[in-house]
Amino acid sequence: MGSKCLPLPQVVFGIGLALFILRGLPGHSLEPSFAVHSAKPQRKTNKRRGVSPQVLTRQLTDAASANHVLFLVENHASSLDEHHIGAALKRLAKEAPSDDPGFRTLLVRTSELLSGLQSQALTNVLWSLAKVDHDPGNDFMQAALKACMRQISCSTPQDLVNSLWACAKLDYQPGPQFLQAALARSQTTLGRFVPMDLANVVWSCAKLQYHPGETFLQQVLVESNAKIARFVPVDINNIFWGCAKLGYRPKSLLQPLLLAAEQQLEHFDSQQLASLLWSCTVLGLPPTPALLQALPSKRKTQLISLGPRGLSFVLWLYATMGHHPGTDFIALVLDKLSRSIPAFGFCGPEGLSGVLWACANFDHQPGESHMAGLLASAQRTLPEFSASQLSQLLWACARLGHQPDKSFLVDWLQQAAAKEEGFQRHELHTCLSASIQLNFEDGVSMIEGMLRSERIPSSERPVYRLVAGE
């Protein structure tokens, strides 16, 4: 039977009916993808997809910058755990902007979790904050150390040293109870301490002005000598400085470390060499000729890192040791100090008196220009000079044969009178001798009066008052 075609009106009606039915069913549309809509499209909601804790830790660790770390912290603040906090702070330890809102968010979240953090996480937090010189405040430190104290019996050597080092770096006194507990635990695990831990525990005790006892220090040095091949300059320097500040002077235990330092002198920077020389002086250990010459042998660019106070300290130190560093080195130091604006303007009273005292001891004439600059800088800061520094200043002028002008001497007299109580007897005699050499009659008269009244009660002594031009 042949097929019969439907009339056109019926075909159109059928198609229209089909479209109506299909459009009424959910999920169906016969609109072409390129159809134009006149209605305003719905705005898509940009919901942040959560990331797993492991992924967030990796993102914090691998962040390209401090800003990226802080962005992640702010966006995931409520979900940060101890691993995230540790990773963030460790990364930020290099360049943390402590005034950034993200950094403050991190500290708030850290405070919330402190009591539940494990020992390693706790000490990492303290270490990281100390690394960026950020003081989180007494409440934070007390809470952190209280949490550390609860876990101290299972703390690793690195945990112990990091907590002590952080307290020392932040100038925070943790109290004798924590120090005794931390050092007692350290003493039982010294065999597991690496050279950096051994050096830092001594440095931290010295910085905190806490003497751990000679038995503990002896054990640290014995352990250090056993691991001496792995010591690097910063470790050697820290252990020497710590022993010097603590007044612990076992030459037989320190000598091997000094020899190890001599073998690595080319790796010591200028500041480490200056510190090591000072420590040797305090400890009564004669520096080797190679060590004495190491600083003067440094390139000019390497000496700049010492800064004005450091350079003046080095000159004073060599004079104290009685070792002449060479005329060229002294001239180099004076030249660098004179290039500041104003000349010799950043040495401070200790540096200015020390430089002049060193030049006088070495019979090194600074020259008229340098001498004028040194005394001009000293005169501007005379009120900050101690009695001892005033004594050194006048003695150096006399020894170098330099006659200060009247204005300087009047100012010197005023400061000496104001600080009479601070002079030792030998310093008064030094001032008297210098005044005689300089034909400084007012100085002679006043110093002689001070010496005569030395045994008179302070309440009955005459008061010296001088005015400009007197």
Side-chain angles (χ1 to χ4, degrees):
M1 178 185 277
S3 60
K4 184 185 289 187
C5 294
L6 292 173
L8 182 59
Q10 293 181 0
V11 172
V12 172
F13 176 81
I15 293 174
L17 181 61
L19 288 171
F20 177 81
I21 294 171
L22 288 173
R23 280 179 177 165
L25 296 175
H28 290 77
S29 175
L30 295 184
E31 286 183 308
S33 59
F34 54 81
V36 178
H37 296 270
S38 60
K40 185 177 180 179
Q42 285 187 334
R43 184 177 180 181
K44 294 182 179 180
T45 56
N46 187 23
K47 294 183 178 179
R48 185 179 69 247
R49 298 177 62 187
V51 296
S52 68
Q54 295 81 2
V55 170
L56 181 55
T57 300
R58 188 163 60 251
Q59 289 177 345
L60 290 165
T61 303
D62 298 339
S65 66
N67 285 336
H68 187 197
V69 173
L70 296 173
F71 170 80
L72 292 170
V73 167
E74 287 197 273
N75 279 275
H76 300 280
S78 62
S79 60
L80 294 177
D81 61 23
E82 66 177 77
H83 303 292
H84 302 140
I85 288 170
L89 285 171
K90 188 174 182 181
R91 175 64 184 80
L92 290 174
K94 301 175 183 177
E95 48 177 325
S98 58
D99 57 344
D100 189 283
F103 190 78
R104 292 196 294 270
T105 299
L106 181 59
L107 288 183
V108 170
R109 182 59 178 160
T110 304
S111 299
E112 293 171 353
L113 299 176
L114 270 181
S115 61
L117 293 181
Q118 296 299 309
S119 179
Q120 184 178 6
L122 277 167
T123 56
N124 283 346
V125 165
L126 293 175
W127 176 88
S128 300
L129 294 174
K131 193 73 174 174
V132 295
D133 290 321
H134 179 81
D135 186 349
N138 284 339
D139 291 344
F140 185 100
M141 292 297 293
Q142 288 175 4
L145 292 175
K146 185 177 180 180
C148 286
M149 191 73 173
R150 288 196 298 267
Q151 305 178 57
I152 210 159
S153 61
C154 57
S155 296
T156 67
Q158 189 176 28
D159 295 341
L160 295 164
V161 174
N162 279 353
S163 60
L164 290 169
W165 181 87
C167 290
K169 187 77 163 49
L170 294 171
D171 289 323
Y172 179 82
Q173 286 293 338
Q177 184 180 6
F178 178 81
L179 288 168
Q180 290 167 9
L183 292 172
R185 172 63 178 166
S186 297
Q187 195 164 10
T188 64
T189 57
L190 278 178
R192 293 159 51 197
F193 275 47
V194 298
M196 182 172 67
D197 295 336
L198 292 165
N200 281 348
V201 74
V202 176
W203 181 90
S204 299
C205 288
K207 187 75 164 54
L208 292 168
Q209 299 181 357
Y210 181 83
H211 201 299
E214 292 195 357
T215 300
F216 179 83
L217 291 173
Q218 181 182 18
Q219 290 175 345
V220 169
L221 289 181
V222 168
E223 194 65 36
S224 298
N225 282 322
K227 298 170 180 174
I228 199 167
R230 294 157 55 194
F231 269 77
V232 295
V234 66
D235 300 331
I236 296 173
N237 187 59
N238 283 344
I239 209 164
F240 266 80
W241 184 87
C243 286
K245 294 294 284 187
L246 292 169
Y248 184 58
R249 303 177 175 86
K251 294 183 179 180
S252 60
L253 292 174
L254 289 169
Q255 196 65 48
L257 287 166
L258 188 58
L259 293 175
E262 185 174 357
Q263 295 168 3
Q264 303 182 53
L265 285 179
E266 68 275 14
H267 300 300
F268 278 75
D269 63 31
S270 299
Q271 292 178 337
Q272 290 168 344
L273 285 170
S275 178
L276 185 58
L277 284 170
W278 175 84
S279 298
C280 287
T281 303
V282 174
L283 293 167
L285 284 170
T288 63
L291 177 55
L292 286 169
Q293 202 54 36
L295 258 178
S297 299
K298 288 284 185 184
R299 293 193 300 271
K300 294 179 182 179
T301 54
Q302 293 174 309
L303 291 172
I304 293 176
S305 64
L306 287 169
R309 291 177 186 266
L311 287 169
S312 54
F313 169 76
V314 166
L315 272 192
W316 170 86
L317 184 59
Y318 274 112
T320 301
M321 293 187 295
H323 177 79
H324 200 303
T327 302
D328 291 343
F329 181 76
I330 298 175
L332 172 66
V333 170
L334 290 173
D335 184 56
K336 286 189 176 297
L337 293 177
S338 69
R339 292 186 181 183
S340 64
I341 301 175
F344 302 96
F346 299 95
C347 298
E350 189 175 22
L352 291 166
S353 60
V355 165
L356 282 166
W357 182 80
C359 287
N361 270 279
F362 292 134
D363 291 322
H364 180 93
Q365 289 293 338
E368 285 301 316
S369 175
H370 287 340
M371 198 69 189
L374 282 162
L375 291 183
S377 185
Q379 189 171 2
R380 285 192 297 270
T381 54
L382 272 180
E384 301 171 27
F385 276 62
S386 67
S388 177
Q389 290 162 353
L390 289 170
S391 171
Q392 290 179 351
L393 201 58
L394 200 65
W395 176 83
C397 288
R399 178 68 181 266
L400 293 168
H402 181 85
Q403 183 69 44
D405 61 32
K406 186 176 181 179
S407 169
F408 178 91
L409 291 175
V410 168
D411 288 348
W412 186 94
L413 272 176
Q414 288 177 333
Q415 294 306 316
K419 290 157 186 168
E420 178 185 0
E421 295 286 344
F423 282 99
Q424 300 293 319
R425 185 174 180 81
H426 72 276
E427 291 170 342
L428 289 174
H429 280 290
T430 296
C431 291
L432 179 60
S433 175
S435 297
I436 292 171
Q437 291 182 59
L438 294 170
N439 295 317
F440 183 22
E441 293 181 1
D442 289 342
V444 171
S445 176
M446 189 180 79
I447 300 301
E448 285 180 340
M450 287 181 175
L451 286 168
R452 283 195 300 271
S453 64
E454 200 175 19
R455 294 183 181 179
I456 301 175
S458 57
S459 59
E460 301 175 17
R461 293 181 190 178
V463 178
Y464 298 95
R465 291 189 176 92
L466 296 118
V467 294
E470 182 175 340

